[in-house]
Amino acid sequence: MKENNLKAKQILGLAHENHRKNNLKLAEELYNKILKISPNHVDTLYLLGTLYIQKKEFIKATKMFDAALKINPKHVDVLHNLGYIFMETGKHEKAKKLLLEVIEIKPDHIDGNYNLGNLYKYFGESDIAEKYFRKAIKIKPNDPKFHNNLGNVLKDQGKFDDAIKSYNKAIELKNNHVNAYHNLGNTYKQLGQFKKAKNYYLKALEFQPLNLETLFTKIELNKETIDVKLKKKINEFMDKKNLSQKDYAYGNFILARHELQNRNFEKEFEHLLKGHSHYYQFGKIKYDRGIDYWFNQVQNNKEMMNLLELNKNTKKFKDKIKPIFIVGVPRCGSTVIEKVIASGKKHIPIGEETAIVSLYMGETLTGNKSIVSNIELMREKILKRYNLRGLIKKESDYIFTDKSLDNFFFIGLIKEMFPYSKIINCKRNEIASIMSILKNNLGDVSWAHNLEHIFRYFDIYLKIIEKYKKMYPNFIYELKLEKFVEDPEDESKKLLKFCELPWDKKCLEFYKRKDLTSRTASNIQIRQAIYKVSDEKYKPYEMLLDRYGSKYDWFKKK
């Protein structure tokens, strides 16, 4: 036995050395050799599991960690890494349980606190995420990634000055921190300070000239022309092997812009499809989970769809909370409409894309919990999040906006939880919206990187809206963007009347406000007066979209 232990120890040293040098194949062989000698060698089980995480072989990694925990159930690093796997594979509640156990055993576990920060950011609970990032910083003050991620959650909370300080601290610790420069650019862009944004994007590119995401963002911000020289450089860069899916995606998005300049619409379209295909691969696990949620779990939930049952069994809430929910599909003009509503005589808090209702509905549906039984608890959690976002205020008569567009799925539930709420359905020519989604990478929107998914999502949206309009004819206000921009004064008066808010000309002068921010692709549009939009520019794409849309009646009518 002693001889085996000695032999295992010697091999482990060699295996760990190769692992450290990223010689993963040899390290894996050596770890397995140890386990043949000593199957219950906890350190080897842990290290081999960690190696499998690096290779993204999560099933194998889980097997190693489960074996290690049978021997030592309180091994904090094993618990942490298993929690990390659950994060990566979308089992967020399981991840939270394990990571909380890690810091209960070892409160100063750096990665445990850091990943709890990342996890709570995912849950949309930025205030809790901030707490864990600050704790990680207290344990290890000089890690730039901690400060960068703290900046991200501070920005999510609208604490822009503090976010800027955090990004600058990350740069102080690591002068060439490209992500921190990029995030500073995004922050100033959100604040409407475009010159500063451009300078920080340029700084990021100074350290990484072919960071294609930053390059694309800068080109979009400044509406820059892409010359032949840059096109050649991008093509040469993309010919290299081992580029990330994200780089291929943004390279194609840039090349699409070049083809658009030259009115080569088919080539532009081809690059857009390639770009989104690569971007989908970049976040495949997460996107597949999102697509399954929207297309299957939400659609197939009989309890949610049977609203008559909800009406019979739910408590009637009588408080005067009056959210204005703006729903629709992306690129429908909703950001501008939200600013119009919130900029009259009665300034009301702007929620923008809170995703709060969707978050707690997702928690209920994926946890196979009853909606009817949990509606009071869900509403309590939703109100708490709205309060934390500073949206529920007496001086605003408890009126605020929530522009989480996917709330159209939950209109029936919203009517039950918030009987004094309003629904604004923003509509735009579908082809214009679809092409705008393709031309503007919507990042984390799971279904927005594949035209089959986009068309399916639009079809679901149109059917659900029609259903709710019949059920609640006076609850949903239909706003058509094309009509609104033709006569903004008259249309905005009708809109504000529906919202039971006073109208004045300031509603249409929202772009003069210094306090407006936006995380959406419409951030630039809200800095200028409402202007007429022409859907004629999308005509060249109708034939290109036909193969995807021909099976849908609403598309064939266009």
Side-chain angles (χ1 to χ4, degrees):
M1 180 65 76
K2 284 184 180 180
E3 188 179 330
N4 281 348
N5 286 340
L6 182 62
K7 192 173 182 182
K9 189 175 180 180
Q10 290 171 340
I11 299 170
L12 182 61
L14 183 61
H16 192 244
E17 180 66 17
N18 278 281
H19 192 168
R20 193 177 60 79
K21 292 179 178 177
N22 214 33
N23 299 327
L24 300 186
K25 187 177 179 182
L26 179 56
E28 183 181 351
E29 289 172 3
L30 291 168
Y31 287 141
N32 278 311
K33 191 172 182 180
I34 295 167
L35 292 176
K36 283 182 181 178
I37 299 167
S38 181
N40 293 330
H41 199 283
V42 175
D43 287 346
T44 301
L45 290 166
Y46 162 67
L47 289 167
L48 183 55
T50 304
L51 182 147
Y52 286 137
I53 286 179
Q54 288 175 257
K55 295 173 73 176
K56 298 203 176 295
E57 295 178 8
F58 296 132
I59 294 172
K60 287 183 179 180
T62 300
K63 185 180 176 182
M64 294 299 113
F65 295 144
D66 284 343
L69 289 173
K70 283 178 183 176
I71 303 159
N72 181 2
K74 298 294 183 183
H75 194 304
V76 288
D77 292 329
V78 172
L79 288 167
H80 170 267
N81 284 8
L82 192 55
Y84 176 79
I85 289 172
F86 286 143
M87 283 176 68
E88 287 292 294
T89 54
K91 298 168 184 172
H92 294 99
E93 287 297 331
K94 285 187 174 182
K96 182 168 77 169
K97 185 179 177 183
L98 280 179
L99 293 175
L100 288 170
E101 187 179 346
V102 167
I103 63 165
E104 186 181 338
I105 297 167
K106 188 179 179 183
D108 63 346
H109 193 283
I110 297 172
D111 289 335
N113 282 286
Y114 174 67
N115 279 318
L116 274 168
N118 289 326
L119 191 62
Y120 278 105
K121 184 183 188 303
Y122 169 83
F123 284 133
E125 299 182 67
S126 296
D127 53 322
I128 303 175
E130 179 186 347
K131 180 183 84 171
Y132 284 111
F133 284 136
R134 289 196 184 281
K135 195 170 174 187
I137 288 168
K138 190 174 180 181
I139 299 163
K140 191 178 179 184
N142 295 326
D143 192 318
K145 76 170 183 266
F146 295 172
H147 293 278
N148 182 61
N149 282 25
L150 174 61
N152 290 337
V153 296
L154 291 168
K155 181 160 71 74
D156 287 346
Q157 295 176 77
K159 299 176 181 177
F160 296 108
D161 289 342
D162 290 340
I164 289 165
K165 287 176 187 174
S166 289
Y167 295 136
N168 280 321
K169 183 64 180 178
I171 290 164
E172 180 187 317
L173 294 167
K174 184 182 177 184
N175 184 48
N176 63 346
H177 200 304
V178 172
N179 284 344
Y181 285 117
H182 182 89
N183 288 332
L184 276 167
N186 286 346
T187 304
Y188 282 114
K189 181 183 172 187
Q190 192 171 333
L191 290 167
Q193 298 181 38
F194 299 135
K195 187 174 180 181
K196 282 188 177 180
K198 177 185 174 182
N199 288 339
Y200 281 109
Y201 292 139
L202 286 170
K203 195 70 179 175
L205 292 167
E206 182 183 313
F207 291 106
Q208 201 175 83
L210 282 172
N211 181 313
L212 298 184
E213 180 181 7
T214 302
L215 185 59
F216 174 77
T217 309
K218 182 178 77 75
I219 288 167
E220 284 292 283
L221 177 65
N222 298 308
K223 303 298 178 190
E224 296 174 15
T225 300
I226 301 163
D227 58 24
V228 175
K229 185 178 176 183
L230 179 57
K231 178 188 174 184
K232 184 181 177 183
K233 188 185 288 187
I234 299 293
N235 275 317
E236 287 173 353
F237 184 65
M238 289 173 63
D239 283 340
K240 293 180 180 179
K241 293 180 179 179
N242 301 321
L243 278 190
S244 70
Q245 294 288 348
K246 197 174 184 182
D247 275 330
Y248 281 124
Y250 279 106
N252 274 289
F253 293 148
I254 293 170
L255 294 174
R257 287 290 183 267
H258 175 79
E259 298 302 341
L260 174 62
Q261 287 169 197
N262 297 310
R263 300 185 64 79
N264 295 326
F265 300 114
E266 287 191 36
K267 286 186 178 180
E268 179 208 4
F269 191 74
E270 184 182 330
H271 279 300
L272 288 172
L273 294 189
K274 282 183 182 177
H276 282 289
S277 176
H278 283 295
Y279 205 88
Y280 170 77
Q281 290 300 321
F282 162 68
K284 188 177 187 307
I285 293 173
K286 177 173 67 175
Y287 294 148
D288 283 347
R289 193 165 63 244
I291 290 161
D292 179 63
Y293 174 71
W294 292 117
F295 291 171
N296 299 315
Q297 293 182 57
V298 174
Q299 285 286 286
N300 297 332
N301 186 276
K302 293 178 182 177
E303 189 182 25
M304 192 176 78
M305 295 302 164
N306 187 359
L307 296 171
L308 291 175
E309 190 64 26
L310 261 179
N311 288 333
K312 288 177 189 174
N313 293 292
T314 57
K315 175 183 175 181
K316 301 303 176 187
F317 301 104
K318 295 179 181 178
D319 57 40
K320 294 287 186 177
I321 306 298
K322 306 170 191 173
I324 298 171
F325 293 97
I326 300 168
V327 303
V329 292
R331 312 302 296 150
C332 65
S334 58
T335 301
V336 168
I337 298 306
E338 182 180 44
K339 308 315 179 199
V340 168
I341 291 170
S343 298
K345 284 182 182 176
K346 192 171 188 176
H347 274 209
I348 62 171
I350 298 173
E352 208 178 35
E353 295 179 336
T354 69
I356 290 171
V357 174
S358 177
L359 172 69
Y360 291 112
M361 270 304 300
E363 187 182 283
T364 302
L365 292 178
T366 57
N368 295 314
K369 300 172 186 174
S370 164
I371 295 171
V372 172
S373 302
N374 286 278
I375 191 168
E376 289 184 48
L377 178 60
M378 203 189 318
R379 185 177 188 275
E380 187 181 313
K381 288 181 176 180
I382 289 168
L383 287 175
K384 182 181 177 183
R385 298 307 307 168
Y386 281 146
N387 265 312
L388 285 168
R389 291 286 292 266
L391 297 176
I392 301 176
K393 295 181 177 180
K394 186 177 180 180
E395 58 267 32
S396 304
D397 197 22
Y398 307 106
I399 302 171
F400 59 92
T401 62
D402 181 337
K403 192 184 69 69
S404 306
L405 296 176
D406 52 38
N407 278 335
F408 69 82
F409 281 99
F410 314 120
I411 287 173
L413 189 67
I414 285 169
K415 188 163 182 14
E416 291 301 312
M417 290 196 293
F418 302 106
Y420 297 98
S421 61
K422 309 280 186 185
I423 302 284
I424 314 294
N425 177 39
C426 278
K427 286 201 70 177
R428 182 185 182 187
N429 174 284
E430 285 85 5
I431 291 173
S433 288
I434 288 167
M435 282 311 304
S436 191
I437 288 168
L438 274 187
K439 288 166 177 277
N440 294 274
N441 180 23
L442 301 188
D444 288 340
V445 180
S446 57
W447 51 267
H449 305 291
N450 174 295
L451 269 176
E452 296 281 358
H453 294 156
I454 292 170
F455 271 90
R456 185 176 172 188
Y457 189 88
F458 270 60
D459 191 58
I460 291 168
Y461 154 71
L462 291 166
K463 286 174 179 174
I464 288 178
I465 283 292
E466 282 308 306
K467 169 188 165 182
Y468 283 129
K469 278 163 64 179
K470 288 174 184 174
M471 290 181 72
Y472 311 123
N474 300 314
F475 185 53
I476 301 171
Y477 184 88
E478 189 96 338
L479 186 144
K480 294 183 179 177
L481 181 65
E482 292 82 1
K483 193 175 177 182
F484 190 90
V485 299
E486 281 293 324
D487 189 355
E489 183 170 326
D490 188 49
E491 292 299 318
S492 63
K493 284 177 179 176
K494 293 177 190 174
L495 174 64
L496 271 287
K497 183 179 179 182
F498 174 81
C499 294
E500 298 182 66
L501 290 169
W503 183 93
D504 70 9
K505 65 177 183 178
K506 289 181 181 177
C507 291
L508 301 178
E509 294 176 348
F510 56 85
Y511 57 92
K512 294 180 179 179
R513 289 177 62 175
K514 301 297 183 185
D515 61 337
L516 285 188
T517 64
S518 177
R519 290 188 289 266
T520 73
S522 301
N523 185 41
I524 296 172
Q525 285 96 317
I526 65 165
R527 312 292 170 187
Q528 52 195 316
I530 293 170
Y531 55 90
K532 292 182 181 180
V533 291
S534 171
D535 291 333
E536 289 299 310
K537 65 180 180 180
Y538 296 108
K539 285 284 182 187
Y541 305 101
E542 284 187 17
M543 291 296 293
L544 299 171
L545 291 171
D546 188 63
R547 59 175 285 210
Y548 301 95
S550 58
K551 63 182 176 181
Y552 298 107
D553 289 339
W554 52 267
F555 179 82
K556 287 188 281 188
K557 290 175 184 175
K558 296 297 171 188

